[in-house]
């Protein structure tokens, strides 16, 4: 089953990992002093999450650290990316620390380190303390960057002796667009303007946390810190110059929105032109703080779409799929009828991943890149105690082939994390959408799928000397 292309086809120091996030797997939502997060609250609102599901128990990872780390070990993961639940550390978002939260992450980090698995830690994977939503208007409030910097400081202080890889924020685009534009993720706001304001505070908060790390910790802890952004590829629908410009514009409104300030010092020009005063401005000091504030380029990538120039939006007012606020971009998105779909109805387009990596390398001067998430949901079935997820293996095989081609053509890609180590709470879709290489049954037993065995083989083959 293992494609010869994948044998020793990656650099010997390439990092192979798996990823999860706190709200999606931990459970223990009210235990040991944890405060509520905006996702705890969001899940209580009827109609927000499929089948009224929530993360109250999730995969019960909070009580199964040893079992889960030994699962990682058995799959051969070299690195594990997880996130810290902010309201477990600061139940009210700021102020006094919850020691039991610190103890929990200490035990997880120790278990990883003792098993030679490198921790990669995300500070914010969407579970904002609910107190901060009420008190300072969450990611819209001017105070949020101070509060985020305090929280980050506490994490560096308590965990930075063992954690050498930090990600400040996971997917600012999703937080801004789905949380403040479409309103389908917490905190559920629907607006055409708020996403740009939230995005602005997210960038400032990221930069403040990095500043704390660099000034107080990096020289002796000797770690690296960056941000993870998500982006789908946008392929021009036709070769017309208008459609090519539309695809480029769509990428700038998606990824460059968050990456340009970090690598170039300000938002892309096209966003300024199209949005005018709706796009906030950075002060000169803020620009200085943000520019250069990432030691690596974290990328989450799942799918691709076709982009065409929109002279007018579709008559029914809809834009297919994951479009951002498409009316601001003058882009129509569609998918090719030839493309196969995952259970999320996301198209499987492996070459889109290679093109995106090349686009990043070209635009940002070939930075070190880590793919911090890539994966797919399928309708997995447990039959006789086994999950034979051939479609997932094919997905990973084809994406990894394209990724290895990107590396061979000079892209500085240093590592790859599968989303996800195990089936988990897939946000508004609940538990029905399964992304894991490990199946989690109704009794929360972990059952590695065929893809877990395949991934183990890939890791082993590529690391043999
Ligand atoms: C990402 C997110 C993950 C996971 C994945 C699959 O956007 O960071 O938490 O849900 O998508 O949808």
């Amino acid at each position: 089953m293992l494609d010869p292309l994948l044998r020793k086809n990656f650099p010997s120091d390439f990092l192979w990992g798996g990823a999860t996030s706190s709200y999606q797997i931990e459970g223990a939502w009210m235990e040991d002093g944890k405060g509520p997060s905006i996702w705890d609250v969001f899940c209580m609102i009827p109609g927000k999450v499929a089948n009224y599901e929530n993360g109250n128990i999730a995969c019960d990872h909070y009580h199964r650290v040893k079992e889960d780390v030994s699962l990682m070990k058995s799959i051969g993961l070299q690195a594990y990316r997880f996130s810290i639940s902010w309201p477990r550390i600061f139940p009210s978002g700021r102020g006094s620390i919850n020691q039991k939260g610190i103890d929990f992450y200490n035990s997880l980090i120790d278990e990883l380190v003792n098993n030679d698995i490198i921790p990669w830690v995300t500070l914010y994977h969407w579970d904002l303390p609910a107190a901060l939503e009420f008190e300072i208007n969450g990611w819209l409030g001017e105070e949020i960057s101070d509060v985020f910097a305090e929280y980050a400081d506490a994490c560096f202080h308590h965990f930075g002796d063992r954690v050498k890889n930090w990600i400040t924020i996971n997917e600012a685009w999703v937080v801004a667009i789905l949380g403040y534009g479409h309103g389908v993720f917490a905190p559920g706001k629907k607006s055409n303007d708020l996403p740009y304001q939230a995005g602005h505070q997210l960038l400032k908060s990221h930069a403040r946390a990095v500043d704390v790390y660099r000034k107080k910790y990096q020289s002796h802890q000797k770690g690296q810190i960056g941000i993870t952004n998500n982006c789908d590829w946008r392929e021009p629908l036709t070769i017309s110059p208008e459609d090519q410009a539309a695809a480029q514009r769509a990428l700038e409104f998606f990824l460059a929105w968050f990456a340009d300030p970090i690598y170039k010092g300000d938002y892309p020009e096209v966003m300024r032109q199209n949005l005018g005063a709706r796009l906030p401005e950075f002060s000169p000091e803020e620009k200085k703080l943000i520019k250069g504030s990432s030691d690596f380029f974290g990328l989450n990538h799942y799918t691709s779409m076709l982009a065409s120039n929109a002279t007018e939006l579709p008559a029914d007012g809809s834009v297919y799929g994951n479009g951002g606020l498409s009316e601001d971009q003058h882009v129509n998105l569609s998918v090719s009828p030839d493309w196969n779909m995952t259970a999320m109805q996301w198209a499987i387009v492996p070459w889109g991943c290679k093109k995106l990596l090349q686009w990043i390398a070209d635009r940002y001067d070939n930075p070190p890149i880590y793919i911090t998430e890539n994966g797919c949901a399928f309708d997995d079935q447990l039959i006789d105690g086994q999950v034979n997820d051939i479609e997932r293996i094919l997905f990973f095989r084809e994406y990894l082939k394209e990724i290895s081609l990107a590396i061979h053509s000079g892209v500085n890609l240093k590592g790859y994390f599968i989303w996800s180590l195990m089936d988990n709470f897939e946000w508004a879709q609940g538990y029905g959408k399964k992304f894991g290489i490990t199946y989690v049954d109704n009794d929360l037993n972990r059952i590695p799928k065929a893809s877990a065995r395949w991934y183990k083989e890939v890791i082993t083959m590529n690391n043999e000397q």
Side-chain angles (χ1 to χ4, degrees):
M1 192 70 214
L2 187 66
D3 195 287
L5 251 185
L6 293 179
R7 285 170 200 260
K8 297 197 190 199
N9 212 29
F10 289 81
S12 58
D13 60 349
F14 194 77
L15 188 70
W16 297 95
T20 63
S21 86
S22 46
Y23 191 70
Q24 294 178 277
I25 67 163
E26 283 180 4
W29 73 302
M30 291 240 282
E31 246 174 272
D32 288 344
K34 176 184 165 291
S37 78
I38 54 172
W39 268 95
D40 290 313
V41 178
F42 192 68
C43 290
M44 291 177 189
I45 304 171
K48 294 296 182 190
V49 176
N51 307 315
Y52 220 142
E53 288 169 343
N54 57 49
N56 293 5
I57 300 173
C59 305
D60 195 35
H61 169 69
Y62 188 79
H63 299 113
R64 296 169 196 235
V65 162
K66 275 191 188 292
E67 178 188 347
D68 287 341
V69 174
S70 79
L71 171 70
M72 295 169 211
K73 190 76 188 161
S74 74
I75 299 173
L77 298 188
Q78 298 173 333
Y80 173 52
R81 174 177 177 234
F82 63 95
S83 74
I84 293 178
S85 160
W86 183 348
R88 222 180 261 298
I89 304 291
F90 287 105
S92 329
R94 52 188 163 174
S96 53
I97 285 199
N98 175 34
Q99 185 56 41
K100 291 209 164 141
I102 301 284
D103 296 345
F104 169 69
Y105 292 107
N106 272 334
S107 70
L108 170 59
I109 293 164
D110 286 344
E111 193 65 19
L112 289 168
V113 171
N114 291 338
N115 281 282
D116 293 322
I117 298 171
I118 304 166
W120 275 65
V121 177
T122 308
L123 293 171
Y124 186 71
H125 201 126
W126 309 351
D127 42 0
L128 185 78
L132 298 178
E133 187 63 32
F134 291 122
E135 291 170 15
I136 62 170
N137 210 8
W139 291 107
L140 299 174
E142 271 296 327
E143 269 177 85
I144 191 76
S145 54
D146 289 341
V147 185
F148 184 67
E150 256 172 61
Y151 158 62
D153 195 336
C155 293
F156 304 143
H157 172 77
H158 287 280
F159 310 126
D161 55 333
R162 289 150 294 153
V163 174
K164 306 298 169 191
N165 303 280
W166 294 100
I167 293 168
T168 53
I169 286 166
N170 180 67
E171 302 188 347
W173 184 95
V174 169
V175 176
I177 294 289
L178 302 189
Y180 291 85
H182 301 166
V184 294
F185 280 13
K189 298 195 192 285
K190 290 188 186 158
S191 157
N192 282 349
D193 296 335
L194 295 182
Y196 302 111
Q197 294 169 27
H200 202 67
Q201 298 300 341
L202 284 156
L203 275 164
K204 289 201 290 181
S205 301
H206 150 78
R208 287 286 307 281
V210 172
D211 191 50
V212 169
Y213 188 64
R214 289 191 174 156
K215 287 200 174 119
K216 284 179 69 175
Y217 299 98
Q218 197 165 32
S219 64
H220 62 278
Q221 292 187 347
K222 302 200 183 319
Q224 55 175 349
I225 187 163
I227 188 170
T228 273
N229 286 306
N230 60 305
C231 195
D232 307 339
W233 176 246
R234 299 296 184 232
E235 181 72 8
L237 177 66
T238 72
I239 55 163
S240 76
E242 290 78 14
D243 286 355
Q244 292 190 33
Q248 174 69 15
R249 215 159 50 237
L251 290 164
E252 293 188 22
F253 266 84
F254 203 150
L255 184 55
W257 175 6
F258 296 101
D260 271 22
I262 292 172
Y263 288 88
K264 296 172 183 286
D266 208 348
Y267 293 119
E269 195 41 47
V270 68
M271 290 188 75
R272 180 67 59 205
Q273 274 164 18
N274 288 14
L275 298 169
R278 293 169 58 212
L279 186 66
E281 303 220 20
F282 295 115
S283 70
E285 300 75 52
E286 288 167 350
K287 282 187 190 167
K288 240 173 93 189
L289 203 65
I290 294 170
K291 191 169 178 195
S293 62
S294 217
D295 297 330
F296 56 86
F297 198 110
L299 175 71
N300 292 352
H301 175 74
Y302 287 92
T303 188
S304 294
M305 293 185 83
L306 301 168
S308 60
N309 187 38
T311 41
E312 51 192 72
L313 288 167
D316 62 359
S318 69
V319 174
Y320 182 98
N322 217 6
L325 297 178
S326 301
E327 58 274 31
D328 291 338
Q329 306 176 25
H330 311 299
V331 172
N332 282 334
L333 296 174
S334 57
V335 289
S336 161
D338 301 336
W339 292 345
N340 291 326
M341 296 285 170
T342 68
M344 297 291 279
Q345 296 307 308
W346 294 347
I348 304 172
V349 192
W351 52 261
C353 184
K354 175 165 165 256
K355 288 196 175 189
L356 178 62
L357 289 168
Q358 194 65 58
W359 189 87
I360 293 168
D362 293 346
R363 189 175 180 93
Y364 302 114
D365 207 11
N366 210 10
I369 306 174
Y370 289 88
I371 294 184
T372 44
E373 286 179 28
N374 173 236
C376 48
F378 287 109
D379 188 18
D380 300 320
Q381 302 296 329
L382 184 66
I383 298 169
D384 297 334
Q386 304 268 344
V387 180
N388 197 12
D389 56 339
I390 298 291
E391 290 162 300
R392 184 170 290 102
I393 294 177
L394 291 175
F395 176 99
F396 283 129
R397 187 172 76 173
E398 296 309 308
Y399 271 80
L400 282 168
K401 262 192 215 168
E402 295 292 331
I403 287 166
S404 76
L405 292 174
I407 296 173
H408 287 298
S409 71
V411 170
N412 189 12
L413 184 74
K414 305 190 76 74
Y416 177 84
F417 291 77
I418 261 180
W419 185 272
S420 174
L421 171 66
M422 61 179 110
D423 294 340
N424 57 47
F425 176 76
E426 178 50 32
W427 308 111
Q429 312 255 15
Y431 294 95
K433 297 287 181 271
K434 299 181 183 306
F435 276 88
I437 56 172
T438 306
Y439 189 86
V440 179
D441 74 10
N442 291 337
D443 298 323
L444 304 180
N445 295 309
R446 278 76 163 132
I447 302 153
K449 302 178 189 176
S451 57
R453 289 187 285 280
W454 179 85
Y455 193 44
K456 181 186 177 115
E457 211 180 329
V458 171
I459 298 173
T460 315
M461 296 305 287
N462 279 286
N463 283 288
E464 273 173 2
Q465 292 308 313

